[in-house]
Amino acid sequence: MSIKLEKAVQKFYDGLEEGKLYGRKCTKCNAVEFPPVYACNTCGCWDMEWVEVSGRAVMKSIVMPAALSSKPEYSALGPYAYGEVELEEGSTFNAVVKGMTKKKRRELLDKLPLPVHAEIFQRDGYKTVVFALDEEA
Ligand SMILES: [Zn+2]
C-alpha cells in the first residue's frame, strides 16, 4: 500500500516536470480526483485511471494563512492565501492561491467565485501546484 502510494505520487510529480497536471478518474462513476487519490471520493471505487486535467478552476473561498503557520517554502511565491478551488473537471480541494494579500482578499470576497488557473511552482527540490487569478495571467 505505501509503495503503491509512492508510485502514484511519483507519476504526479513526473507530470509536473513535463508541465502536465495529472488527476485520477474513477472508471465507475467518472468523477475526477485532484490531487490524485486512490479511492474515488464519490463512490468509493478503487478502480481509477490517470487523466490529464486542464488546471482551469474557480476559487470559492479565500482564507489568509495564520502568521505562525506560514510556510517558508512558499516565500518565493510572494503573498498567498488558501482557497477552496473547484476544478472544471469537478474536483474540489484546498489550494495555495498566489498574489493574495489581506487587502486583495477584502476586495475579492464579494466577487467569488472567481476563475483561477493552476501554475507549476518550483520549490526546493521539487515542483508543486499553486493557483493564480485569471485576471493576472
Ligand atoms: Zn467513483
Side-chain angles (χ1 to χ4, degrees), residues 2-136:
S2 64
I3 291 166
K4 221 175 144 191
L5 189 65
E6 277 166 28
K7 270 190 186 164
V9 170
Q10 192 59 47
K11 168 83 178 175
F12 176 70
Y13 286 111
D14 286 351
L16 296 184
E17 291 296 329
E18 295 163 18
K20 290 177 179 164
L21 300 172
Y22 284 114
R24 301 273 284 170
K25 184 176 174 184
C26 176
T27 57
K28 211 167 167 185
C29 74
N30 288 330
V32 172
E33 301 290 347
F34 183 90
V37 293
Y38 267 105
C40 175
N41 283 331
T42 304
C43 74
C45 173
W46 285 71
D47 200 6
M48 311 276 289
E49 61 185 11
W50 289 105
V51 289
E52 201 179 328
V53 299
S54 65
R56 284 189 295 274
V58 291
M59 177 172 64
K60 302 201 289 191
S61 68
I62 313 170
V63 179
M64 297 311 292
L68 286 174
S69 72
S70 117
K71 295 185 178 169
E73 62 266 34
Y74 286 117
S75 57
L77 196 62
Y80 71 93
Y82 297 104
E84 189 190 5
V85 163
E86 182 178 349
L87 278 189
E88 67 175 11
E89 285 82 1
S91 186
T92 301
F93 54 96
N94 284 308
V96 168
V97 181
K98 71 176 198 178
M100 220 45 80
T101 58
K102 279 182 185 167
K103 181 170 176 282
K104 183 114 184 175
R105 175 177 176 270
R106 276 196 302 272
E107 289 166 11
L108 295 178
L109 274 181
D110 315 341
K111 299 178 191 162
L112 294 176
L114 282 166
V116 291
H117 58 273
E119 288 183 5
I120 295 169
F121 174 64
Q122 178 73 53
R123 285 171 47 169
D124 24 317
Y126 65 101
K127 292 183 167 68
T128 189
V129 179
V130 300
F131 283 78
L133 287 171
D134 278 4
E135 65 180 40
E136 291 179 352

